[in-house]
Amino acid sequence: NNSQVNDTGTGSFALRGNLTLTRPNTALIWEVGTKENITWTRKGSIATVAISYSNDSTNWIPIESSVNASNLTYEWNITADKPLSYQQGLIKIADSSPAGQPTNDTSDVPFTLRGRLNLTYPTNSGLNFTYDGGTSTMSITWDKSGLIKKVWLKYSTNNGTNYPNNITRNNTTSA
């Protein structure tokens, strides 16, 4: 507490900012073919951030290499064009400025990334089909996004309250 005492160092040091990933940071489920917001907070003068995905905390797949850090959000269009592994994953956000200090943060909790199905026929509600002993057939079709190996087709007889009736199980996902 003596104002007469002071010292000046001869070495130098760098000050760096701080990034905190805020979403995804819980056990969310995100689907291929959707858009999800990745969000963060920032302290300091971090100009741009790089965003990456990993399913093993070691190998990181770039999502975006240079996002304005002051945006504090990035809308990720989760497409099947990247070699994503559809399982538990993490997001990492890092300072991507050329002179940036190594500042980054990673999801605290893995989230699930999975494929998505979209039924293309039949799609109208209120359709009634009559079983004719198995002589007639009807195609049930869908589009898929991402990695889905097999599906389980079921139908409801009570307006979708539940689906206890199997049509087929463990089919390949080709429609």
Side-chain angles (χ1 to χ4, degrees):
N1 290 340
N2 187 336
S3 63
Q4 302 300 315
V5 176
N6 64 61
D7 190 19
T8 302
T10 58
S12 64
F13 61 93
L15 295 176
R16 65 179 184 182
N18 183 51
L19 293 168
T20 303
L21 185 69
T22 55
R23 184 172 194 264
N25 226 13
T26 58
L28 300 171
I29 297 175
W30 288 357
E31 294 182 339
V32 174
T34 63
K35 294 179 180 180
E36 295 289 347
N37 286 328
I38 297 169
T39 61
W40 60 90
T41 61
R42 160 187 88 135
K43 292 181 181 173
S45 59
I46 299 168
T48 58
V49 294
I51 304 170
S52 305
Y53 164 82
S54 177
N55 66 351
D56 63 7
S57 301
T58 302
N59 300 300
W60 293 92
I61 299 167
I63 294 173
E64 189 64 52
S65 61
S66 184
V67 176
N68 185 331
S70 66
N71 291 347
L72 305 179
T73 189
Y74 174 77
E75 185 180 65
W76 183 20
N77 184 9
I78 306 171
T79 60
D81 65 341
K82 293 189 183 293
L84 302 174
S85 178
Y86 303 100
Q87 53 188 338
Q88 297 286 300
L90 298 168
I91 294 290
K92 178 168 72 173
I93 187 167
D95 183 352
S96 65
S97 305
Q101 295 295 316
T103 301
N104 64 71
D105 192 29
T106 303
S107 305
D108 293 332
V109 177
F111 66 97
T112 300
L113 186 59
R114 69 179 182 195
R116 182 175 180 204
L117 292 172
N118 178 45
L119 185 65
T120 56
Y121 185 82
T123 57
N124 295 337
S125 62
L127 294 176
N128 292 308
F129 300 103
T130 304
Y131 180 66
D132 64 3
T135 58
S136 297
T137 62
M138 178 209 293
S139 293
I140 299 170
T141 59
W142 60 86
D143 294 325
K144 71 171 185 144
S145 298
L147 180 65
I148 299 174
K149 293 181 181 178
K150 297 182 180 204
V151 297
W152 185 358
L153 300 177
K154 300 174 100 179
Y155 68 95
S156 174
T157 57
N158 56 12
N159 294 321
T161 301
N162 56 36
Y163 294 82
N165 308 294
N166 292 328
I167 297 172
T168 187
R169 189 174 188 165
N170 295 326
N171 267 10
T172 62
T173 57
S174 57

mmCIF file of all heavy atoms in Angstrom, residues 24-30 52-61 76 83-91 106-115 147:
data_model
loop_
_atom_site.group_PDB
_atom_site.id
_atom_site.type_symbol
_atom_site.label_atom_id
_atom_site.label_comp_id
_atom_site.label_asym_id
_atom_site.label_seq_id
_atom_site.Cartn_x
_atom_site.Cartn_y
_atom_site.Cartn_z
ATOM 1 N N PRO A 24 -23.944 -25.179 -28.828
ATOM 2 C CA PRO A 24 -24.542 -26.193 -27.967
ATOM 3 C C PRO A 24 -23.670 -26.434 -26.735
ATOM 4 O O PRO A 24 -22.458 -26.595 -26.854
ATOM 5 C CB PRO A 24 -24.572 -27.438 -28.846
ATOM 6 C CG PRO A 24 -23.370 -27.282 -29.729
ATOM 7 C CD PRO A 24 -23.246 -25.796 -29.969
ATOM 8 N N ASN A 25 -24.290 -26.451 -25.614
ATOM 9 C CA ASN A 25 -23.566 -26.708 -24.382
ATOM 10 C C ASN A 25 -24.386 -27.573 -23.436
ATOM 11 O O ASN A 25 -24.115 -27.618 -22.246
ATOM 12 C CB ASN A 25 -23.166 -25.393 -23.715
ATOM 13 C CG ASN A 25 -21.732 -25.402 -23.264
ATOM 14 O OD1 ASN A 25 -20.966 -26.279 -23.643
ATOM 15 N ND2 ASN A 25 -21.362 -24.450 -22.446
ATOM 16 N N THR A 26 -25.399 -28.223 -24.000
ATOM 17 C CA THR A 26 -26.218 -29.192 -23.267
ATOM 18 C C THR A 26 -26.467 -30.374 -24.202
ATOM 19 O O THR A 26 -26.102 -30.337 -25.377
ATOM 20 C CB THR A 26 -27.568 -28.591 -22.834
ATOM 21 O OG1 THR A 26 -28.266 -28.136 -24.001
ATOM 22 C CG2 THR A 26 -27.374 -27.423 -21.872
ATOM 23 N N ALA A 27 -27.123 -31.383 -23.731
ATOM 24 C CA ALA A 27 -27.372 -32.603 -24.513
ATOM 25 C C ALA A 27 -28.526 -32.378 -25.501
ATOM 26 O O ALA A 27 -29.613 -32.900 -25.336
ATOM 27 C CB ALA A 27 -27.670 -33.769 -23.578
ATOM 28 N N LEU A 28 -28.267 -31.612 -26.545
ATOM 29 C CA LEU A 28 -29.264 -31.327 -27.582
ATOM 30 C C LEU A 28 -29.273 -32.422 -28.638
ATOM 31 O O LEU A 28 -28.313 -33.181 -28.762
ATOM 32 C CB LEU A 28 -28.937 -29.993 -28.259
ATOM 33 C CG LEU A 28 -28.918 -28.751 -27.372
ATOM 34 C CD1 LEU A 28 -28.370 -27.571 -28.150
ATOM 35 C CD2 LEU A 28 -30.317 -28.454 -26.869
ATOM 36 N N ILE A 29 -30.337 -32.463 -29.437
ATOM 37 C CA ILE A 29 -30.397 -33.329 -30.617
ATOM 38 C C ILE A 29 -30.586 -32.417 -31.820
ATOM 39 O O ILE A 29 -31.582 -31.697 -31.912
ATOM 40 C CB ILE A 29 -31.544 -34.354 -30.522
ATOM 41 C CG1 ILE A 29 -31.322 -35.288 -29.337
ATOM 42 C CG2 ILE A 29 -31.656 -35.145 -31.831
ATOM 43 C CD1 ILE A 29 -32.466 -36.256 -29.085
ATOM 44 N N TRP A 30 -29.616 -32.439 -32.726
ATOM 45 C CA TRP A 30 -29.680 -31.663 -33.956
ATOM 46 C C TRP A 30 -29.742 -32.630 -35.128
ATOM 47 O O TRP A 30 -29.097 -33.677 -35.119
ATOM 48 C CB TRP A 30 -28.469 -30.753 -34.091
ATOM 49 C CG TRP A 30 -28.486 -29.576 -33.145
ATOM 50 C CD1 TRP A 30 -29.465 -29.247 -32.263
ATOM 51 C CD2 TRP A 30 -27.475 -28.594 -33.014
ATOM 52 N NE1 TRP A 30 -29.125 -28.112 -31.589
ATOM 53 C CE2 TRP A 30 -27.904 -27.681 -32.023
ATOM 54 C CE3 TRP A 30 -26.250 -28.384 -33.618
ATOM 55 C CZ2 TRP A 30 -27.152 -26.575 -31.641
ATOM 56 C CZ3 TRP A 30 -25.500 -27.293 -33.231
ATOM 57 C CH2 TRP A 30 -25.952 -26.397 -32.257
ATOM 58 N N SER A 52 -15.566 -25.461 -35.421
ATOM 59 C CA SER A 52 -15.277 -26.833 -35.852
ATOM 60 C C SER A 52 -16.163 -27.817 -35.103
ATOM 61 O O SER A 52 -16.681 -27.511 -34.027
ATOM 62 C CB SER A 52 -13.816 -27.178 -35.589
ATOM 63 O OG SER A 52 -12.960 -26.253 -36.194
ATOM 64 N N TYR A 53 -16.286 -29.037 -35.681
ATOM 65 C CA TYR A 53 -17.066 -30.134 -35.108
ATOM 66 C C TYR A 53 -16.155 -31.349 -34.937
ATOM 67 O O TYR A 53 -15.283 -31.601 -35.763
ATOM 68 C CB TYR A 53 -18.224 -30.495 -36.051
ATOM 69 C CG TYR A 53 -18.864 -31.828 -35.764
ATOM 70 C CD1 TYR A 53 -19.821 -31.957 -34.774
ATOM 71 C CD2 TYR A 53 -18.498 -32.972 -36.470
ATOM 72 C CE1 TYR A 53 -20.397 -33.180 -34.494
ATOM 73 C CE2 TYR A 53 -19.075 -34.205 -36.203
ATOM 74 C CZ TYR A 53 -20.027 -34.295 -35.210
ATOM 75 O OH TYR A 53 -20.590 -35.516 -34.936
ATOM 76 N N SER A 54 -16.382 -32.108 -33.847
ATOM 77 C CA SER A 54 -15.629 -33.341 -33.631
ATOM 78 C C SER A 54 -16.509 -34.358 -32.918
ATOM 79 O O SER A 54 -17.357 -33.993 -32.114
ATOM 80 C CB SER A 54 -14.390 -33.075 -32.779
ATOM 81 O OG SER A 54 -13.696 -34.290 -32.515
ATOM 82 N N ASN A 55 -16.293 -35.629 -33.227
ATOM 83 C CA ASN A 55 -16.991 -36.680 -32.486
ATOM 84 C C ASN A 55 -16.037 -37.412 -31.542
ATOM 85 O O ASN A 55 -16.434 -38.344 -30.871
ATOM 86 C CB ASN A 55 -17.684 -37.669 -33.424
ATOM 87 C CG ASN A 55 -16.708 -38.475 -34.247
ATOM 88 O OD1 ASN A 55 -15.517 -38.196 -34.260
ATOM 89 N ND2 ASN A 55 -17.198 -39.464 -34.940
ATOM 90 N N ASP A 56 -14.768 -36.976 -31.496
ATOM 91 C CA ASP A 56 -13.808 -37.664 -30.629
ATOM 92 C C ASP A 56 -12.897 -36.711 -29.841
ATOM 93 O O ASP A 56 -11.954 -37.147 -29.204
ATOM 94 C CB ASP A 56 -12.951 -38.633 -31.443
ATOM 95 C CG ASP A 56 -12.091 -37.949 -32.489
ATOM 96 O OD1 ASP A 56 -12.030 -36.690 -32.523
ATOM 97 O OD2 ASP A 56 -11.462 -38.662 -33.285
ATOM 98 N N SER A 57 -13.157 -35.423 -29.895
ATOM 99 C CA SER A 57 -12.375 -34.386 -29.196
ATOM 100 C C SER A 57 -10.934 -34.270 -29.677
ATOM 101 O O SER A 57 -10.139 -33.543 -29.083
ATOM 102 C CB SER A 57 -12.364 -34.632 -27.681
ATOM 103 O OG SER A 57 -13.655 -34.646 -27.173
ATOM 104 N N THR A 58 -10.580 -34.975 -30.739
ATOM 105 C CA THR A 58 -9.215 -34.938 -31.260
ATOM 106 C C THR A 58 -9.186 -34.453 -32.700
ATOM 107 O O THR A 58 -8.414 -33.565 -33.057
ATOM 108 C CB THR A 58 -8.573 -36.339 -31.180
ATOM 109 O OG1 THR A 58 -8.594 -36.764 -29.825
ATOM 110 C CG2 THR A 58 -7.144 -36.316 -31.665
ATOM 111 N N ASN A 59 -10.003 -35.047 -33.553
ATOM 112 C CA ASN A 59 -10.051 -34.699 -34.970
ATOM 113 C C ASN A 59 -11.204 -33.726 -35.202
ATOM 114 O O ASN A 59 -12.364 -34.077 -34.987
ATOM 115 C CB ASN A 59 -10.240 -35.965 -35.812
ATOM 116 C CG ASN A 59 -9.102 -36.938 -35.589
ATOM 117 O OD1 ASN A 59 -7.953 -36.618 -35.832
ATOM 118 N ND2 ASN A 59 -9.429 -38.127 -35.101
ATOM 119 N N TRP A 60 -10.870 -32.529 -35.661
ATOM 120 C CA TRP A 60 -11.851 -31.464 -35.825
ATOM 121 C C TRP A 60 -12.123 -31.205 -37.302
ATOM 122 O O TRP A 60 -11.190 -31.055 -38.087
ATOM 123 C CB TRP A 60 -11.375 -30.199 -35.126
ATOM 124 C CG TRP A 60 -11.335 -30.383 -33.643
ATOM 125 C CD1 TRP A 60 -10.276 -30.790 -32.899
ATOM 126 C CD2 TRP A 60 -12.425 -30.222 -32.740
ATOM 127 N NE1 TRP A 60 -10.636 -30.873 -31.578
ATOM 128 C CE2 TRP A 60 -11.956 -30.529 -31.449
ATOM 129 C CE3 TRP A 60 -13.761 -29.850 -32.892
ATOM 130 C CZ2 TRP A 60 -12.767 -30.469 -30.315
ATOM 131 C CZ3 TRP A 60 -14.568 -29.782 -31.760
ATOM 132 C CH2 TRP A 60 -14.080 -30.096 -30.496
ATOM 133 N N ILE A 61 -13.388 -31.163 -37.669
ATOM 134 C CA ILE A 61 -13.824 -30.883 -39.034
ATOM 135 C C ILE A 61 -14.268 -29.425 -39.084
ATOM 136 O O ILE A 61 -15.173 -29.028 -38.338
ATOM 137 C CB ILE A 61 -14.995 -31.806 -39.442
ATOM 138 C CG1 ILE A 61 -14.549 -33.270 -39.392
ATOM 139 C CG2 ILE A 61 -15.528 -31.433 -40.818
ATOM 140 C CD1 ILE A 61 -15.697 -34.251 -39.480
ATOM 141 N N TRP A 76 -25.668 -22.492 -38.348
ATOM 142 C CA TRP A 76 -25.064 -23.648 -39.000
ATOM 143 C C TRP A 76 -26.125 -24.374 -39.803
ATOM 144 O O TRP A 76 -27.077 -24.912 -39.256
ATOM 145 C CB TRP A 76 -24.445 -24.577 -37.969
ATOM 146 C CG TRP A 76 -23.730 -25.769 -38.524
ATOM 147 C CD1 TRP A 76 -23.241 -25.935 -39.787
ATOM 148 C CD2 TRP A 76 -23.417 -26.978 -37.827
ATOM 149 N NE1 TRP A 76 -22.624 -27.160 -39.925
ATOM 150 C CE2 TRP A 76 -22.727 -27.822 -38.718
ATOM 151 C CE3 TRP A 76 -23.639 -27.419 -36.525
ATOM 152 C CZ2 TRP A 76 -22.281 -29.082 -38.363
ATOM 153 C CZ3 TRP A 76 -23.187 -28.668 -36.170
ATOM 154 C CH2 TRP A 76 -22.515 -29.493 -37.080
ATOM 155 N N PRO A 83 -18.074 -34.621 -44.014
ATOM 156 C CA PRO A 83 -17.948 -35.994 -43.499
ATOM 157 C C PRO A 83 -18.223 -36.068 -41.998
ATOM 158 O O PRO A 83 -17.381 -36.419 -41.204
ATOM 159 C CB PRO A 83 -16.494 -36.349 -43.822
ATOM 160 C CG PRO A 83 -15.787 -35.030 -43.789
ATOM 161 C CD PRO A 83 -16.781 -34.021 -44.321
ATOM 162 N N LEU A 84 -19.446 -35.681 -41.620
ATOM 163 C CA LEU A 84 -19.809 -35.689 -40.214
ATOM 164 C C LEU A 84 -20.172 -37.096 -39.783
ATOM 165 O O LEU A 84 -20.784 -37.853 -40.521
ATOM 166 C CB LEU A 84 -21.001 -34.761 -39.975
ATOM 167 C CG LEU A 84 -20.809 -33.306 -40.383
ATOM 168 C CD1 LEU A 84 -22.110 -32.543 -40.221
ATOM 169 C CD2 LEU A 84 -19.712 -32.659 -39.581
ATOM 170 N N SER A 85 -19.814 -37.427 -38.593
ATOM 171 C CA SER A 85 -20.187 -38.708 -38.016
ATOM 172 C C SER A 85 -21.448 -38.476 -37.198
ATOM 173 O O SER A 85 -21.464 -37.666 -36.295
ATOM 174 C CB SER A 85 -19.062 -39.215 -37.122
ATOM 175 O OG SER A 85 -19.435 -40.422 -36.533
ATOM 176 N N TYR A 86 -22.508 -39.143 -37.554
ATOM 177 C CA TYR A 86 -23.805 -38.868 -36.958
ATOM 178 C C TYR A 86 -23.945 -39.596 -35.636
ATOM 179 O O TYR A 86 -24.454 -40.696 -35.564
ATOM 180 C CB TYR A 86 -24.912 -39.233 -37.944
ATOM 181 C CG TYR A 86 -24.711 -38.465 -39.220
ATOM 182 C CD1 TYR A 86 -24.119 -39.054 -40.314
ATOM 183 C CD2 TYR A 86 -25.045 -37.137 -39.287
ATOM 184 C CE1 TYR A 86 -23.896 -38.330 -41.466
ATOM 185 C CE2 TYR A 86 -24.826 -36.401 -40.424
ATOM 186 C CZ TYR A 86 -24.256 -36.998 -41.518
ATOM 187 O OH TYR A 86 -24.036 -36.283 -42.645
ATOM 188 N N GLN A 87 -23.465 -38.940 -34.624
ATOM 189 C CA GLN A 87 -23.487 -39.497 -33.281
ATOM 190 C C GLN A 87 -23.253 -38.356 -32.309
ATOM 191 O O GLN A 87 -23.573 -37.220 -32.593
ATOM 192 C CB GLN A 87 -22.429 -40.581 -33.156
ATOM 193 C CG GLN A 87 -21.036 -40.120 -33.566
ATOM 194 C CD GLN A 87 -20.043 -41.258 -33.610
ATOM 195 O OE1 GLN A 87 -20.238 -42.264 -32.983
ATOM 196 N NE2 GLN A 87 -18.979 -41.091 -34.357
ATOM 197 N N GLN A 88 -22.688 -38.654 -31.147
ATOM 198 C CA GLN A 88 -22.364 -37.620 -30.181
ATOM 199 C C GLN A 88 -21.230 -36.760 -30.722
ATOM 200 O O GLN A 88 -20.281 -37.271 -31.301
ATOM 201 C CB GLN A 88 -21.938 -38.258 -28.858
ATOM 202 C CG GLN A 88 -23.030 -39.070 -28.195
ATOM 203 C CD GLN A 88 -24.086 -38.198 -27.580
ATOM 204 O OE1 GLN A 88 -23.803 -37.397 -26.711
ATOM 205 N NE2 GLN A 88 -25.308 -38.326 -28.035
ATOM 206 N N GLY A 89 -21.361 -35.446 -30.540
ATOM 207 C CA GLY A 89 -20.326 -34.558 -31.054
ATOM 208 C C GLY A 89 -20.132 -33.340 -30.182
ATOM 209 O O GLY A 89 -20.899 -33.084 -29.251
ATOM 210 N N LEU A 90 -19.093 -32.598 -30.497
ATOM 211 C CA LEU A 90 -18.747 -31.369 -29.793
ATOM 212 C C LEU A 90 -18.494 -30.269 -30.812
ATOM 213 O O LEU A 90 -18.096 -30.530 -31.943
ATOM 214 C CB LEU A 90 -17.479 -31.562 -28.957
ATOM 215 C CG LEU A 90 -17.525 -32.604 -27.853
ATOM 216 C CD1 LEU A 90 -16.119 -32.867 -27.323
ATOM 217 C CD2 LEU A 90 -18.438 -32.151 -26.736
ATOM 218 N N ILE A 91 -18.705 -29.035 -30.404
ATOM 219 C CA ILE A 91 -18.365 -27.862 -31.204
ATOM 220 C C ILE A 91 -17.224 -27.143 -30.502
ATOM 221 O O ILE A 91 -17.192 -27.043 -29.273
ATOM 222 C CB ILE A 91 -19.578 -26.912 -31.348
ATOM 223 C CG1 ILE A 91 -20.686 -27.562 -32.159
ATOM 224 C CG2 ILE A 91 -19.163 -25.567 -31.956
ATOM 225 C CD1 ILE A 91 -20.392 -27.754 -33.629
ATOM 226 N N THR A 106 -14.783 -25.251 -25.954
ATOM 227 C CA THR A 106 -15.441 -26.426 -26.530
ATOM 228 C C THR A 106 -16.703 -26.722 -25.740
ATOM 229 O O THR A 106 -16.768 -26.432 -24.541
ATOM 230 C CB THR A 106 -14.485 -27.642 -26.462
ATOM 231 O OG1 THR A 106 -13.278 -27.298 -27.157
ATOM 232 C CG2 THR A 106 -15.082 -28.865 -27.111
ATOM 233 N N SER A 107 -17.687 -27.323 -26.403
ATOM 234 C CA SER A 107 -18.917 -27.736 -25.721
ATOM 235 C C SER A 107 -18.579 -28.486 -24.448
ATOM 236 O O SER A 107 -17.697 -29.345 -24.438
ATOM 237 C CB SER A 107 -19.745 -28.669 -26.614
ATOM 238 O OG SER A 107 -20.030 -28.097 -27.854
ATOM 239 N N ASP A 108 -19.292 -28.178 -23.370
ATOM 240 C CA ASP A 108 -19.085 -28.884 -22.107
ATOM 241 C C ASP A 108 -19.702 -30.283 -22.134
ATOM 242 O O ASP A 108 -19.229 -31.185 -21.451
ATOM 243 C CB ASP A 108 -19.708 -28.107 -20.945
ATOM 244 C CG ASP A 108 -18.992 -26.790 -20.695
ATOM 245 O OD1 ASP A 108 -17.785 -26.688 -20.993
ATOM 246 O OD2 ASP A 108 -19.652 -25.866 -20.187
ATOM 247 N N VAL A 109 -20.765 -30.433 -22.908
ATOM 248 C CA VAL A 109 -21.522 -31.686 -22.977
ATOM 249 C C VAL A 109 -21.711 -32.042 -24.448
ATOM 250 O O VAL A 109 -22.051 -31.171 -25.254
ATOM 251 C CB VAL A 109 -22.903 -31.515 -22.298
ATOM 252 C CG1 VAL A 109 -23.739 -32.762 -22.422
ATOM 253 C CG2 VAL A 109 -22.735 -31.110 -20.838
ATOM 254 N N PRO A 110 -21.515 -33.296 -24.837
ATOM 255 C CA PRO A 110 -21.770 -33.680 -26.236
ATOM 256 C C PRO A 110 -23.244 -33.505 -26.606
ATOM 257 O O PRO A 110 -24.130 -33.650 -25.769
ATOM 258 C CB PRO A 110 -21.386 -35.161 -26.288
ATOM 259 C CG PRO A 110 -20.536 -35.394 -25.086
ATOM 260 C CD PRO A 110 -21.008 -34.424 -24.046
ATOM 261 N N PHE A 111 -23.474 -33.193 -27.868
ATOM 262 C CA PHE A 111 -24.834 -33.159 -28.406
ATOM 263 C C PHE A 111 -24.942 -34.267 -29.440
ATOM 264 O O PHE A 111 -23.937 -34.814 -29.892
ATOM 265 C CB PHE A 111 -25.162 -31.787 -29.001
ATOM 266 C CG PHE A 111 -24.356 -31.432 -30.224
ATOM 267 C CD1 PHE A 111 -24.875 -31.629 -31.490
ATOM 268 C CD2 PHE A 111 -23.074 -30.913 -30.105
ATOM 269 C CE1 PHE A 111 -24.138 -31.322 -32.612
ATOM 270 C CE2 PHE A 111 -22.325 -30.600 -31.218
ATOM 271 C CZ PHE A 111 -22.859 -30.803 -32.477
ATOM 272 N N THR A 112 -26.172 -34.613 -29.811
ATOM 273 C CA THR A 112 -26.388 -35.676 -30.789
ATOM 274 C C THR A 112 -26.666 -35.061 -32.155
ATOM 275 O O THR A 112 -27.492 -34.166 -32.279
ATOM 276 C CB THR A 112 -27.577 -36.572 -30.371
ATOM 277 O OG1 THR A 112 -27.275 -37.153 -29.104
ATOM 278 C CG2 THR A 112 -27.823 -37.671 -31.389
ATOM 279 N N LEU A 113 -25.969 -35.549 -33.153
ATOM 280 C CA LEU A 113 -26.186 -35.143 -34.538
ATOM 281 C C LEU A 113 -26.683 -36.380 -35.265
ATOM 282 O O LEU A 113 -26.016 -37.419 -35.255
ATOM 283 C CB LEU A 113 -24.871 -34.647 -35.149
ATOM 284 C CG LEU A 113 -24.942 -34.048 -36.537
ATOM 285 C CD1 LEU A 113 -25.865 -32.851 -36.567
ATOM 286 C CD2 LEU A 113 -23.560 -33.655 -36.994
ATOM 287 N N ARG A 114 -27.877 -36.293 -35.866
ATOM 288 C CA ARG A 114 -28.451 -37.477 -36.498
ATOM 289 C C ARG A 114 -29.115 -37.124 -37.819
ATOM 290 O O ARG A 114 -29.425 -35.969 -38.097
ATOM 291 C CB ARG A 114 -29.434 -38.161 -35.558
ATOM 292 C CG ARG A 114 -30.692 -37.368 -35.302
ATOM 293 C CD ARG A 114 -31.624 -38.124 -34.384
ATOM 294 N NE ARG A 114 -32.847 -37.361 -34.188
ATOM 295 C CZ ARG A 114 -33.717 -37.589 -33.242
ATOM 296 N NH1 ARG A 114 -33.513 -38.570 -32.393
ATOM 297 N NH2 ARG A 114 -34.802 -36.863 -33.131
ATOM 298 N N GLY A 115 -29.358 -38.174 -38.608
ATOM 299 C CA GLY A 115 -30.041 -38.011 -39.882
ATOM 300 C C GLY A 115 -31.501 -37.656 -39.679
ATOM 301 O O GLY A 115 -32.025 -37.674 -38.563
ATOM 302 N N LEU A 147 -26.907 -39.791 -42.496
ATOM 303 C CA LEU A 147 -26.684 -41.223 -42.401
ATOM 304 C C LEU A 147 -27.798 -41.893 -41.605
ATOM 305 O O LEU A 147 -27.916 -41.688 -40.405
ATOM 306 C CB LEU A 147 -25.328 -41.484 -41.736
ATOM 307 C CG LEU A 147 -24.937 -42.940 -41.551
ATOM 308 C CD1 LEU A 147 -24.757 -43.619 -42.903
ATOM 309 C CD2 LEU A 147 -23.652 -43.036 -40.752
#
